Amino acid sequence: MNHNRIVCFDLEMCCWNENGVGRTGEIIEVGLAEIDLVKGSIVKRAQYYVKPERDEVSMFCTELTGITPRKIDKQGRPLAEVVKSMVKNFGGSNKIYAAWGHDERILFDECQAKGIAEPFNEFINLATLYRIQQRLKDKRIGHKQAQEALDIEWEGRQHSGYVDAYNLAKLALKML
């Protein structure tokens, strides 16, 4: 296990807003940014689009994420291929992965449903760690709000897995 490297990741899923209620479906993007804790820097980034098997990219989802059905048709790959790329390019069980919230559950549940091996074993929920560090026991806080509270500039469009993973890596460098 390489404890000096952490792979921050963010997922975007098919999403809908029906009568003011949001719901999500299959993963359509995985953004990753690996940090080196010794160097104190982001050392690698990647973005993978996933072609959903049962869902589609709604207009609401495109407005929120910037991901279009055309982009998924052209660049999307099956989740099994994306997971293989993640493991090959970022390491699987020999790395620690981190996300804001429970993205690992979403990824693992979809992997299980599709018969895909889980891509990693070790996981850090940075939202929980942040709440502990900041003594915010019962308060939920979003990734962007937490980052700005620590005077870390947000860069790029929110709800892009690639951008969110990069910003999360910047936050993780400060927290860890």
Side-chain angles (χ1 to χ4, degrees), residues 30-90:
V30 180
L32 301 110
E34 184 172 341
I35 60 174
D36 184 317
L37 295 174
V38 174
K39 292 179 181 177
S41 63
I42 298 168
V43 294
K44 189 186 308 186
R45 294 176 70 187
Q47 176 181 46
Y48 303 111
Y49 290 109
V50 181
K51 191 171 282 200
E53 293 176 8
R54 295 177 303 280
D55 285 336
E56 60 184 48
V57 178
S58 68
M59 186 179 299
F60 171 78
C61 190
T62 295
E63 290 171 7
L64 182 67
T65 67
I67 301 169
T68 64
R70 181 178 170 95
K71 184 171 284 193
I72 293 298
D73 286 343
K74 287 188 170 266
Q75 298 178 35
R77 298 183 296 147
L79 182 61
E81 288 182 24
V82 168
V83 166
K84 282 181 187 173
S85 292
M86 286 172 59
V87 171
K88 178 183 175 194
N89 297 321
F90 288 87

Side-chain angles (χ1 to χ4, degrees), residues 94-163:
N94 64 331
K95 292 279 180 69
I96 300 168
Y97 280 67
W100 190 266
H102 293 288
D103 279 14
E104 94 288 1
R105 286 186 195 163
I106 295 165
L107 179 60
F108 287 3
D109 287 350
E110 192 166 328
C111 283
Q112 184 177 30
K114 294 179 177 179
I116 303 165
E118 296 173 352
F120 54 85
N121 299 323
E122 297 290 328
F123 175 76
I124 300 170
N125 180 335
L126 291 172
T128 299
L129 182 59
Y130 179 87
R131 286 195 313 273
I132 291 167
Q133 288 176 344
Q134 301 300 315
R135 308 290 191 257
L136 303 172
K137 293 177 187 156
D138 298 322
K139 184 178 178 189
R140 288 182 52 110
I141 186 167
H143 169 198
K144 185 174 182 182
Q145 184 183 2
Q147 185 165 319
E148 290 171 347
L150 294 179
D151 292 322
I152 303 168
E153 182 183 348
W154 185 273
E155 295 179 49
R157 177 192 178 124
Q158 194 173 12
H159 301 298
S160 157
Y162 185 70
V163 169

